[in-house]
Amino acid sequence: VRQAVLAASAFEERILAHRRTVETISALASRGENSFTLQDYLDSIVKTRPEILDVQLVNRDGAVLLARTNKTPGLETSSVKAVKD
């Protein structure tokens, strides 16, 4: 039981770290940060977090503004707009 609690806690911390990353880039984008800075940030995300396959910065309508991928060639990408609709 103790191992399960520790594993759950570690998993929760990892999810919270990912959430903070997404919230940070969202805040930068909403403040009008230039696209070069945002692109560098997306590059950093996919380089330092191999479990993240695809990062897309989208507008309110779901249109992709910037994107970076770390996925295997041939693996299909779906836009958040397609999922949203």
Side-chain angles (χ1 to χ4, degrees), residues 44-80:
S44 173
I45 290 171
V46 296
K47 286 178 185 172
T48 61
R49 295 170 180 84
E51 68 279 5
I52 295 179
L53 297 178
D54 194 59
V55 179
Q56 298 178 357
L57 183 59
V58 299
N59 64 15
R60 291 181 189 266
D61 297 324
V64 177
L65 303 175
L66 294 170
R68 270 298 177 249
T69 189
N70 194 30
K71 61 183 173 50
T72 305
L75 186 63
E76 188 177 328
T77 299
S78 295
S79 170
V80 71

PDB file of all heavy atoms in Angstrom, residues 44-80:
ATOM      1  N   SER A  44      12.208  23.753 -26.242  1.00  0.00           N
ATOM      2  CA  SER A  44      12.716  23.285 -24.953  1.00  0.00           C
ATOM      3  C   SER A  44      11.821  22.210 -24.344  1.00  0.00           C
ATOM      4  O   SER A  44      12.305  21.228 -23.787  1.00  0.00           O
ATOM      5  CB  SER A  44      12.835  24.469 -23.993  1.00  0.00           C
ATOM      6  OG  SER A  44      13.172  24.038 -22.707  1.00  0.00           O
ATOM      7  N   ILE A  45      10.514  22.389 -24.474  1.00  0.00           N
ATOM      8  CA  ILE A  45       9.572  21.418 -23.918  1.00  0.00           C
ATOM      9  C   ILE A  45       9.773  20.048 -24.546  1.00  0.00           C
ATOM     10  O   ILE A  45       9.903  19.046 -23.846  1.00  0.00           O
ATOM     11  CB  ILE A  45       8.115  21.891 -24.099  1.00  0.00           C
ATOM     12  CG1 ILE A  45       7.831  23.090 -23.204  1.00  0.00           C
ATOM     13  CG2 ILE A  45       7.138  20.761 -23.793  1.00  0.00           C
ATOM     14  CD1 ILE A  45       6.501  23.758 -23.483  1.00  0.00           C
ATOM     15  N   VAL A  46       9.822  19.975 -25.865  1.00  0.00           N
ATOM     16  CA  VAL A  46       9.934  18.659 -26.510  1.00  0.00           C
ATOM     17  C   VAL A  46      11.329  18.060 -26.359  1.00  0.00           C
ATOM     18  O   VAL A  46      11.472  16.836 -26.378  1.00  0.00           O
ATOM     19  CB  VAL A  46       9.495  18.670 -27.989  1.00  0.00           C
ATOM     20  CG1 VAL A  46       8.026  19.012 -28.116  1.00  0.00           C
ATOM     21  CG2 VAL A  46      10.337  19.584 -28.829  1.00  0.00           C
ATOM     22  N   LYS A  47      12.345  18.890 -26.183  1.00  0.00           N
ATOM     23  CA  LYS A  47      13.700  18.365 -25.988  1.00  0.00           C
ATOM     24  C   LYS A  47      13.916  17.825 -24.589  1.00  0.00           C
ATOM     25  O   LYS A  47      14.622  16.840 -24.398  1.00  0.00           O
ATOM     26  CB  LYS A  47      14.739  19.447 -26.290  1.00  0.00           C
ATOM     27  CG  LYS A  47      14.901  19.736 -27.752  1.00  0.00           C
ATOM     28  CD  LYS A  47      15.913  20.840 -27.977  1.00  0.00           C
ATOM     29  CE  LYS A  47      15.984  21.207 -29.439  1.00  0.00           C
ATOM     30  NZ  LYS A  47      16.818  22.391 -29.673  1.00  0.00           N
ATOM     31  N   THR A  48      13.346  18.471 -23.601  1.00  0.00           N
ATOM     32  CA  THR A  48      13.599  18.091 -22.207  1.00  0.00           C
ATOM     33  C   THR A  48      12.546  17.161 -21.623  1.00  0.00           C
ATOM     34  O   THR A  48      12.731  16.638 -20.540  1.00  0.00           O
ATOM     35  CB  THR A  48      13.701  19.338 -21.313  1.00  0.00           C
ATOM     36  OG1 THR A  48      12.470  20.063 -21.367  1.00  0.00           O
ATOM     37  CG2 THR A  48      14.855  20.228 -21.755  1.00  0.00           C
ATOM     38  N   ARG A  49      11.462  16.966 -22.336  1.00  0.00           N
ATOM     39  CA  ARG A  49      10.393  16.087 -21.851  1.00  0.00           C
ATOM     40  C   ARG A  49      10.030  15.098 -22.957  1.00  0.00           C
ATOM     41  O   ARG A  49       9.073  15.306 -23.692  1.00  0.00           O
ATOM     42  CB  ARG A  49       9.177  16.913 -21.449  1.00  0.00           C
ATOM     43  CG  ARG A  49       9.449  17.822 -20.270  1.00  0.00           C
ATOM     44  CD  ARG A  49       8.294  18.801 -20.076  1.00  0.00           C
ATOM     45  NE  ARG A  49       8.514  19.673 -18.958  1.00  0.00           N
ATOM     46  CZ  ARG A  49       9.217  20.795 -18.991  1.00  0.00           C
ATOM     47  NH1 ARG A  49       9.801  21.177 -20.105  1.00  0.00           N
ATOM     48  NH2 ARG A  49       9.352  21.539 -17.919  1.00  0.00           N
ATOM     49  N   PRO A  50      10.796  14.017 -23.082  1.00  0.00           N
ATOM     50  CA  PRO A  50      10.578  13.080 -24.186  1.00  0.00           C
ATOM     51  C   PRO A  50       9.208  12.413 -24.181  1.00  0.00           C
ATOM     52  O   PRO A  50       8.764  11.907 -25.207  1.00  0.00           O
ATOM     53  CB  PRO A  50      11.695  12.055 -24.016  1.00  0.00           C
ATOM     54  CG  PRO A  50      12.149  12.191 -22.611  1.00  0.00           C
ATOM     55  CD  PRO A  50      11.877  13.609 -22.202  1.00  0.00           C
ATOM     56  N   GLU A  51       8.534  12.443 -23.057  1.00  0.00           N
ATOM     57  CA  GLU A  51       7.195  11.845 -22.999  1.00  0.00           C
ATOM     58  C   GLU A  51       6.139  12.724 -23.665  1.00  0.00           C
ATOM     59  O   GLU A  51       5.032  12.282 -23.960  1.00  0.00           O
ATOM     60  CB  GLU A  51       6.782  11.529 -21.550  1.00  0.00           C
ATOM     61  CG  GLU A  51       6.543  12.733 -20.670  1.00  0.00           C
ATOM     62  CD  GLU A  51       7.803  13.366 -20.081  1.00  0.00           C
ATOM     63  OE1 GLU A  51       8.926  12.957 -20.397  1.00  0.00           O
ATOM     64  OE2 GLU A  51       7.639  14.286 -19.267  1.00  0.00           O
ATOM     65  N   ILE A  52       6.486  13.994 -23.911  1.00  0.00           N
ATOM     66  CA  ILE A  52       5.576  14.894 -24.613  1.00  0.00           C
ATOM     67  C   ILE A  52       5.863  14.759 -26.096  1.00  0.00           C
ATOM     68  O   ILE A  52       6.951  15.064 -26.570  1.00  0.00           O
ATOM     69  CB  ILE A  52       5.756  16.347 -24.148  1.00  0.00           C
ATOM     70  CG1 ILE A  52       5.347  16.467 -22.682  1.00  0.00           C
ATOM     71  CG2 ILE A  52       4.932  17.296 -25.017  1.00  0.00           C
ATOM     72  CD1 ILE A  52       5.493  17.848 -22.099  1.00  0.00           C
ATOM     73  N   LEU A  53       4.886  14.284 -26.839  1.00  0.00           N
ATOM     74  CA  LEU A  53       5.077  14.026 -28.256  1.00  0.00           C
ATOM     75  C   LEU A  53       4.803  15.235 -29.128  1.00  0.00           C
ATOM     76  O   LEU A  53       5.426  15.412 -30.167  1.00  0.00           O
ATOM     77  CB  LEU A  53       4.170  12.876 -28.707  1.00  0.00           C
ATOM     78  CG  LEU A  53       4.436  11.532 -28.060  1.00  0.00           C
ATOM     79  CD1 LEU A  53       3.441  10.511 -28.573  1.00  0.00           C
ATOM     80  CD2 LEU A  53       5.852  11.083 -28.315  1.00  0.00           C
ATOM     81  N   ASP A  54       3.859  16.062 -28.731  1.00  0.00           N
ATOM     82  CA  ASP A  54       3.446  17.155 -29.595  1.00  0.00           C
ATOM     83  C   ASP A  54       2.932  18.299 -28.735  1.00  0.00           C
ATOM     84  O   ASP A  54       2.149  18.073 -27.817  1.00  0.00           O
ATOM     85  CB  ASP A  54       2.340  16.653 -30.534  1.00  0.00           C
ATOM     86  CG  ASP A  54       2.070  17.593 -31.679  1.00  0.00           C
ATOM     87  OD1 ASP A  54       2.994  17.866 -32.456  1.00  0.00           O
ATOM     88  OD2 ASP A  54       0.929  18.056 -31.796  1.00  0.00           O
ATOM     89  N   VAL A  55       3.392  19.508 -29.035  1.00  0.00           N
ATOM     90  CA  VAL A  55       2.937  20.692 -28.312  1.00  0.00           C
ATOM     91  C   VAL A  55       2.410  21.679 -29.342  1.00  0.00           C
ATOM     92  O   VAL A  55       3.092  21.988 -30.310  1.00  0.00           O
ATOM     93  CB  VAL A  55       4.075  21.354 -27.513  1.00  0.00           C
ATOM     94  CG1 VAL A  55       3.577  22.589 -26.785  1.00  0.00           C
ATOM     95  CG2 VAL A  55       4.692  20.386 -26.532  1.00  0.00           C
ATOM     96  N   GLN A  56       1.196  22.147 -29.129  1.00  0.00           N
ATOM     97  CA  GLN A  56       0.595  23.118 -30.031  1.00  0.00           C
ATOM     98  C   GLN A  56       0.102  24.312 -29.233  1.00  0.00           C
ATOM     99  O   GLN A  56      -0.545  24.143 -28.203  1.00  0.00           O
ATOM    100  CB  GLN A  56      -0.590  22.516 -30.778  1.00  0.00           C
ATOM    101  CG  GLN A  56      -0.251  21.353 -31.657  1.00  0.00           C
ATOM    102  CD  GLN A  56      -1.471  20.763 -32.333  1.00  0.00           C
ATOM    103  OE1 GLN A  56      -2.595  21.189 -32.110  1.00  0.00           O
ATOM    104  NE2 GLN A  56      -1.238  19.767 -33.170  1.00  0.00           N
ATOM    105  N   LEU A  57       0.433  25.485 -29.717  1.00  0.00           N
ATOM    106  CA  LEU A  57      -0.089  26.720 -29.154  1.00  0.00           C
ATOM    107  C   LEU A  57      -1.228  27.139 -30.072  1.00  0.00           C
ATOM    108  O   LEU A  57      -1.022  27.351 -31.259  1.00  0.00           O
ATOM    109  CB  LEU A  57       1.008  27.783 -29.116  1.00  0.00           C
ATOM    110  CG  LEU A  57       0.660  29.117 -28.491  1.00  0.00           C
ATOM    111  CD1 LEU A  57       0.233  28.934 -27.041  1.00  0.00           C
ATOM    112  CD2 LEU A  57       1.850  30.046 -28.570  1.00  0.00           C
ATOM    113  N   VAL A  58      -2.432  27.191 -29.543  1.00  0.00           N
ATOM    114  CA  VAL A  58      -3.614  27.462 -30.351  1.00  0.00           C
ATOM    115  C   VAL A  58      -4.319  28.719 -29.865  1.00  0.00           C
ATOM    116  O   VAL A  58      -4.181  29.112 -28.716  1.00  0.00           O
ATOM    117  CB  VAL A  58      -4.603  26.270 -30.333  1.00  0.00           C
ATOM    118  CG1 VAL A  58      -3.959  25.017 -30.898  1.00  0.00           C
ATOM    119  CG2 VAL A  58      -5.126  25.999 -28.936  1.00  0.00           C
ATOM    120  N   ASN A  59      -5.107  29.322 -30.772  1.00  0.00           N
ATOM    121  CA  ASN A  59      -5.902  30.476 -30.365  1.00  0.00           C
ATOM    122  C   ASN A  59      -7.246  29.995 -29.803  1.00  0.00           C
ATOM    123  O   ASN A  59      -7.477  28.792 -29.693  1.00  0.00           O
ATOM    124  CB  ASN A  59      -6.087  31.467 -31.529  1.00  0.00           C
ATOM    125  CG  ASN A  59      -6.867  30.894 -32.688  1.00  0.00           C
ATOM    126  OD1 ASN A  59      -7.534  29.861 -32.578  1.00  0.00           O
ATOM    127  ND2 ASN A  59      -6.785  31.554 -33.831  1.00  0.00           N
ATOM    128  N   ARG A  60      -8.109  30.911 -29.464  1.00  0.00           N
ATOM    129  CA  ARG A  60      -9.397  30.544 -28.847  1.00  0.00           C
ATOM    130  C   ARG A  60     -10.268  29.672 -29.747  1.00  0.00           C
ATOM    131  O   ARG A  60     -11.089  28.910 -29.273  1.00  0.00           O
ATOM    132  CB  ARG A  60     -10.173  31.801 -28.456  1.00  0.00           C
ATOM    133  CG  ARG A  60      -9.551  32.552 -27.318  1.00  0.00           C
ATOM    134  CD  ARG A  60     -10.403  33.772 -26.966  1.00  0.00           C
ATOM    135  NE  ARG A  60      -9.720  34.616 -26.029  1.00  0.00           N
ATOM    136  CZ  ARG A  60      -9.872  34.544 -24.712  1.00  0.00           C
ATOM    137  NH1 ARG A  60     -10.679  33.666 -24.198  1.00  0.00           N
ATOM    138  NH2 ARG A  60      -9.214  35.365 -23.919  1.00  0.00           N
ATOM    139  N   ASP A  61     -10.074  29.809 -31.054  1.00  0.00           N
ATOM    140  CA  ASP A  61     -10.856  29.010 -31.999  1.00  0.00           C
ATOM    141  C   ASP A  61     -10.258  27.630 -32.241  1.00  0.00           C
ATOM    142  O   ASP A  61     -10.836  26.818 -32.948  1.00  0.00           O
ATOM    143  CB  ASP A  61     -10.987  29.744 -33.335  1.00  0.00           C
ATOM    144  CG  ASP A  61     -11.749  31.050 -33.192  1.00  0.00           C
ATOM    145  OD1 ASP A  61     -12.701  31.092 -32.384  1.00  0.00           O
ATOM    146  OD2 ASP A  61     -11.391  32.022 -33.884  1.00  0.00           O
ATOM    147  N   GLY A  62      -9.076  27.393 -31.688  1.00  0.00           N
ATOM    148  CA  GLY A  62      -8.426  26.096 -31.859  1.00  0.00           C
ATOM    149  C   GLY A  62      -7.472  26.028 -33.035  1.00  0.00           C
ATOM    150  O   GLY A  62      -6.899  24.982 -33.311  1.00  0.00           O
ATOM    151  N   ALA A  63      -7.266  27.151 -33.728  1.00  0.00           N
ATOM    152  CA  ALA A  63      -6.325  27.174 -34.843  1.00  0.00           C
ATOM    153  C   ALA A  63      -4.893  27.175 -34.299  1.00  0.00           C
ATOM    154  O   ALA A  63      -4.577  27.910 -33.365  1.00  0.00           O
ATOM    155  CB  ALA A  63      -6.553  28.401 -35.715  1.00  0.00           C
ATOM    156  N   VAL A  64      -4.029  26.347 -34.869  1.00  0.00           N
ATOM    157  CA  VAL A  64      -2.648  26.229 -34.400  1.00  0.00           C
ATOM    158  C   VAL A  64      -1.850  27.467 -34.797  1.00  0.00           C
ATOM    159  O   VAL A  64      -1.802  27.834 -35.967  1.00  0.00           O
ATOM    160  CB  VAL A  64      -1.986  24.958 -34.979  1.00  0.00           C
ATOM    161  CG1 VAL A  64      -0.529  24.871 -34.557  1.00  0.00           C
ATOM    162  CG2 VAL A  64      -2.744  23.713 -34.543  1.00  0.00           C
ATOM    163  N   LEU A  65      -1.235  28.104 -33.804  1.00  0.00           N
ATOM    164  CA  LEU A  65      -0.392  29.270 -34.045  1.00  0.00           C
ATOM    165  C   LEU A  65       1.076  28.864 -34.137  1.00  0.00           C
ATOM    166  O   LEU A  65       1.809  29.336 -34.993  1.00  0.00           O
ATOM    167  CB  LEU A  65      -0.576  30.296 -32.926  1.00  0.00           C
ATOM    168  CG  LEU A  65      -2.006  30.781 -32.692  1.00  0.00           C
ATOM    169  CD1 LEU A  65      -2.065  31.691 -31.474  1.00  0.00           C
ATOM    170  CD2 LEU A  65      -2.543  31.482 -33.925  1.00  0.00           C
ATOM    171  N   LEU A  66       1.514  28.013 -33.235  1.00  0.00           N
ATOM    172  CA  LEU A  66       2.867  27.471 -33.210  1.00  0.00           C
ATOM    173  C   LEU A  66       2.781  26.021 -32.773  1.00  0.00           C
ATOM    174  O   LEU A  66       1.921  25.660 -31.974  1.00  0.00           O
ATOM    175  CB  LEU A  66       3.758  28.233 -32.225  1.00  0.00           C
ATOM    176  CG  LEU A  66       4.091  29.683 -32.528  1.00  0.00           C
ATOM    177  CD1 LEU A  66       4.777  30.322 -31.329  1.00  0.00           C
ATOM    178  CD2 LEU A  66       4.990  29.782 -33.745  1.00  0.00           C
ATOM    179  N   ALA A  67       3.715  25.206 -33.255  1.00  0.00           N
ATOM    180  CA  ALA A  67       3.723  23.802 -32.862  1.00  0.00           C
ATOM    181  C   ALA A  67       5.139  23.249 -32.916  1.00  0.00           C
ATOM    182  O   ALA A  67       5.965  23.697 -33.706  1.00  0.00           O
ATOM    183  CB  ALA A  67       2.814  22.990 -33.769  1.00  0.00           C
ATOM    184  N   ARG A  68       5.408  22.282 -32.079  1.00  0.00           N
ATOM    185  CA  ARG A  68       6.655  21.535 -32.093  1.00  0.00           C
ATOM    186  C   ARG A  68       6.303  20.085 -31.820  1.00  0.00           C
ATOM    187  O   ARG A  68       5.405  19.776 -31.044  1.00  0.00           O
ATOM    188  CB  ARG A  68       7.627  22.016 -31.013  1.00  0.00           C
ATOM    189  CG  ARG A  68       8.526  23.106 -31.463  1.00  0.00           C
ATOM    190  CD  ARG A  68       9.410  22.625 -32.615  1.00  0.00           C
ATOM    191  NE  ARG A  68      10.228  23.658 -33.110  1.00  0.00           N
ATOM    192  CZ  ARG A  68      10.094  24.234 -34.304  1.00  0.00           C
ATOM    193  NH1 ARG A  68       9.128  23.895 -35.095  1.00  0.00           N
ATOM    194  NH2 ARG A  68      10.922  25.151 -34.698  1.00  0.00           N
ATOM    195  N   THR A  69       7.037  19.208 -32.461  1.00  0.00           N
ATOM    196  CA  THR A  69       6.739  17.791 -32.286  1.00  0.00           C
ATOM    197  C   THR A  69       8.004  17.012 -31.991  1.00  0.00           C
ATOM    198  O   THR A  69       9.101  17.413 -32.373  1.00  0.00           O
ATOM    199  CB  THR A  69       6.031  17.224 -33.531  1.00  0.00           C
ATOM    200  OG1 THR A  69       5.590  15.913 -33.230  1.00  0.00           O
ATOM    201  CG2 THR A  69       6.935  17.188 -34.741  1.00  0.00           C
ATOM    202  N   ASN A  70       7.829  15.911 -31.301  1.00  0.00           N
ATOM    203  CA  ASN A  70       8.902  15.001 -30.942  1.00  0.00           C
ATOM    204  C   ASN A  70       8.435  13.582 -31.234  1.00  0.00           C
ATOM    205  O   ASN A  70       8.919  12.634 -30.660  1.00  0.00           O
ATOM    206  CB  ASN A  70       9.241  15.163 -29.454  1.00  0.00           C
ATOM    207  CG  ASN A  70      10.546  14.508 -29.092  1.00  0.00           C
ATOM    208  OD1 ASN A  70      11.450  14.411 -29.891  1.00  0.00           O
ATOM    209  ND2 ASN A  70      10.634  14.037 -27.868  1.00  0.00           N
ATOM    210  N   LYS A  71       7.475  13.467 -32.121  1.00  0.00           N
ATOM    211  CA  LYS A  71       6.855  12.163 -32.359  1.00  0.00           C
ATOM    212  C   LYS A  71       7.536  11.412 -33.490  1.00  0.00           C
ATOM    213  O   LYS A  71       8.224  12.003 -34.314  1.00  0.00           O
ATOM    214  CB  LYS A  71       5.374  12.307 -32.627  1.00  0.00           C
ATOM    215  CG  LYS A  71       5.001  13.121 -33.825  1.00  0.00           C
ATOM    216  CD  LYS A  71       3.486  13.228 -33.903  1.00  0.00           C
ATOM    217  CE  LYS A  71       3.002  14.155 -34.952  1.00  0.00           C
ATOM    218  NZ  LYS A  71       3.494  14.037 -36.264  1.00  0.00           N
ATOM    219  N   THR A  72       7.313  10.140 -33.501  1.00  0.00           N
ATOM    220  CA  THR A  72       7.844   9.271 -34.535  1.00  0.00           C
ATOM    221  C   THR A  72       7.220   9.626 -35.877  1.00  0.00           C
ATOM    222  O   THR A  72       6.007   9.822 -35.950  1.00  0.00           O
ATOM    223  CB  THR A  72       7.514   7.800 -34.183  1.00  0.00           C
ATOM    224  OG1 THR A  72       8.014   7.527 -32.883  1.00  0.00           O
ATOM    225  CG2 THR A  72       8.105   6.848 -35.192  1.00  0.00           C
ATOM    226  N   PRO A  73       8.018   9.699 -36.925  1.00  0.00           N
ATOM    227  CA  PRO A  73       7.445   9.970 -38.255  1.00  0.00           C
ATOM    228  C   PRO A  73       6.362   8.940 -38.595  1.00  0.00           C
ATOM    229  O   PRO A  73       6.489   7.757 -38.280  1.00  0.00           O
ATOM    230  CB  PRO A  73       8.642   9.835 -39.192  1.00  0.00           C
ATOM    231  CG  PRO A  73       9.834  10.094 -38.327  1.00  0.00           C
ATOM    232  CD  PRO A  73       9.467   9.565 -36.972  1.00  0.00           C
ATOM    233  N   GLY A  74       5.302   9.424 -39.190  1.00  0.00           N
ATOM    234  CA  GLY A  74       4.197   8.543 -39.550  1.00  0.00           C
ATOM    235  C   GLY A  74       3.089   8.500 -38.509  1.00  0.00           C
ATOM    236  O   GLY A  74       1.996   8.020 -38.784  1.00  0.00           O
ATOM    237  N   LEU A  75       3.348   9.015 -37.322  1.00  0.00           N
ATOM    238  CA  LEU A  75       2.328   9.063 -36.278  1.00  0.00           C
ATOM    239  C   LEU A  75       1.463  10.285 -36.538  1.00  0.00           C
ATOM    240  O   LEU A  75       1.950  11.408 -36.597  1.00  0.00           O
ATOM    241  CB  LEU A  75       2.961   9.147 -34.901  1.00  0.00           C
ATOM    242  CG  LEU A  75       2.068   9.062 -33.679  1.00  0.00           C
ATOM    243  CD1 LEU A  75       1.371   7.702 -33.638  1.00  0.00           C
ATOM    244  CD2 LEU A  75       2.867   9.247 -32.409  1.00  0.00           C
ATOM    245  N   GLU A  76       0.184  10.061 -36.734  1.00  0.00           N
ATOM    246  CA  GLU A  76      -0.733  11.144 -37.113  1.00  0.00           C
ATOM    247  C   GLU A  76      -0.932  12.146 -35.990  1.00  0.00           C
ATOM    248  O   GLU A  76      -1.011  11.790 -34.822  1.00  0.00           O
ATOM    249  CB  GLU A  76      -2.086  10.547 -37.517  1.00  0.00           C
ATOM    250  CG  GLU A  76      -3.036  11.561 -38.105  1.00  0.00           C
ATOM    251  CD  GLU A  76      -4.335  10.924 -38.547  1.00  0.00           C
ATOM    252  OE1 GLU A  76      -4.317   9.767 -38.965  1.00  0.00           O
ATOM    253  OE2 GLU A  76      -5.356  11.609 -38.452  1.00  0.00           O
ATOM    254  N   THR A  77      -1.007  13.417 -36.360  1.00  0.00           N
ATOM    255  CA  THR A  77      -1.272  14.504 -35.414  1.00  0.00           C
ATOM    256  C   THR A  77      -2.704  14.973 -35.603  1.00  0.00           C
ATOM    257  O   THR A  77      -3.169  15.132 -36.716  1.00  0.00           O
ATOM    258  CB  THR A  77      -0.318  15.683 -35.664  1.00  0.00           C
ATOM    259  OG1 THR A  77       1.008  15.240 -35.477  1.00  0.00           O
ATOM    260  CG2 THR A  77      -0.594  16.828 -34.717  1.00  0.00           C
ATOM    261  N   SER A  78      -3.386  15.210 -34.505  1.00  0.00           N
ATOM    262  CA  SER A  78      -4.730  15.780 -34.553  1.00  0.00           C
ATOM    263  C   SER A  78      -4.694  17.139 -33.896  1.00  0.00           C
ATOM    264  O   SER A  78      -4.132  17.292 -32.824  1.00  0.00           O
ATOM    265  CB  SER A  78      -5.728  14.894 -33.808  1.00  0.00           C
ATOM    266  OG  SER A  78      -5.861  13.663 -34.454  1.00  0.00           O
ATOM    267  N   SER A  79      -5.288  18.102 -34.544  1.00  0.00           N
ATOM    268  CA  SER A  79      -5.374  19.431 -33.980  1.00  0.00           C
ATOM    269  C   SER A  79      -6.413  19.455 -32.877  1.00  0.00           C
ATOM    270  O   SER A  79      -7.397  18.721 -32.917  1.00  0.00           O
ATOM    271  CB  SER A  79      -5.755  20.440 -35.071  1.00  0.00           C
ATOM    272  OG  SER A  79      -6.055  21.679 -34.479  1.00  0.00           O
ATOM    273  N   VAL A  80      -6.202  20.318 -31.922  1.00  0.00           N
ATOM    274  CA  VAL A  80      -7.177  20.481 -30.857  1.00  0.00           C
ATOM    275  C   VAL A  80      -8.501  20.985 -31.442  1.00  0.00           C
ATOM    276  O   VAL A  80      -9.560  20.708 -30.924  1.00  0.00           O
ATOM    277  CB  VAL A  80      -6.636  21.414 -29.744  1.00  0.00           C
ATOM    278  CG1 VAL A  80      -6.569  22.842 -30.220  1.00  0.00           C
ATOM    279  CG2 VAL A  80      -7.463  21.310 -28.494  1.00  0.00           C
TER     280      VAL A  80
END
